[in-house]
Amino acid sequence: MAVLPGLVNAHTHLELSYLRDEVAPASEFVSWIRGVIAARRRRPDPRAPEIMRAIDDALSQAVACGTAVVGDISNTLVTFEPLTRSRLAAVVFYELIRFNAPDPAAFVDEAARDIDALLPTDRVRVSLAAHAPYSVAPLVLRAIRREIDRRPFAPCSVHLSESSEEIEFIRTGRGPWRTLLEDIGAWDPAWQPPGVSPVQFLDESGFLDARVLAVHGVQMTIEDLDRLVARGSTLVTCPRSNGHTGAGAPPIEDFYNYGVNVAIGTDSLASTPDLNVFAELATLRALAPTVSAGALLDSATRQGARALGFDADYGTIEPGKSARLLVVNLPARLDDVEEYLVSGIGPDDIRWLDEL
Ligand SMILES: [Zn+2]
């Protein structure tokens, strides 16, 4: 058997767990988002029993698949309480979406009050996140960043360079995103397209630094990756979700070759079949055959724990850290243990050392 640190799922949306199998795969990302918006509008109560039940089931599944820590994106904060009851450590990112905001500072102040009303535990913390550069107004982005700067250890998250439609919109102000914003009544006629890549736009807004988890990066150029390296931001890759949503395949070998900090997320059950980080690792292995298995495992453990601010307790096996360690059954004959661990381990072969 192999003993390893509990895995870190650095990007998921537990509150969307009830959307499993509800939003069909798409060939174009904006079509997929339209499907999610329609599905969420069918269930307006964020605490509906089926939503809360799906969160609990997802938490059990994540633990059974060897996850010790999650970065959970939430627009409603309904996942905070179930997480405090689970065995997981977590950062709940209260994610703000507002493209047309009459008073950006008041909007973010109210969100800050909402998260301050929750009592963090040793294992479950709360922070703020911006949804994406195409769905959050520039002044809201700045207000979120200011609020994060007031919280010295809080990580922040943003979906970034996920789809070609995002690149087109931030460069030109046109395309399917513009149409979608107009269709849902969120368009701001005063908004001016930045005319650069989404990464350059966020960087020049002062948004990117070592506390930011930039999620997806499917459409990032080498220049974009260099900026992430210079800022020390962590790129969270979720390749199975990218395949489902029509975003495309992320350039994973470039992420590693250019020295970016890479963590791994499953994204939500709306766009992935399960919350098994080992299954995500197998997809990374298939997309990036030249990256070492050891580097992929490092992303699924140490890098994720560091990005979420949990590296004092998780991510490696060291004296003084939490003993939340996994035991993975290995075949009798095996040449390369690390390679085996990125080949797609299922829950039947996983146990927790402290539950034996
Ligand atoms: Zn996401």
Side-chain angles (χ1 to χ4, degrees), residues 182-197:
E182 288 173 343
D183 288 351
I184 62 175
W187 173 245
D188 177 358
W191 182 81
Q192 294 292 324
V196 295
S197 80

Side-chain angles (χ1 to χ4, degrees), residues 11-13 73 95 131 159 162 215-216 238 241 267-268:
H11 183 81
T12 185
H13 304 240
I73 306 290
E95 180 191 67
H131 175 256
H159 297 90
E162 183 171 7
V215 182
H216 295 307
C238 313
S241 170
D267 217 335
S268 79

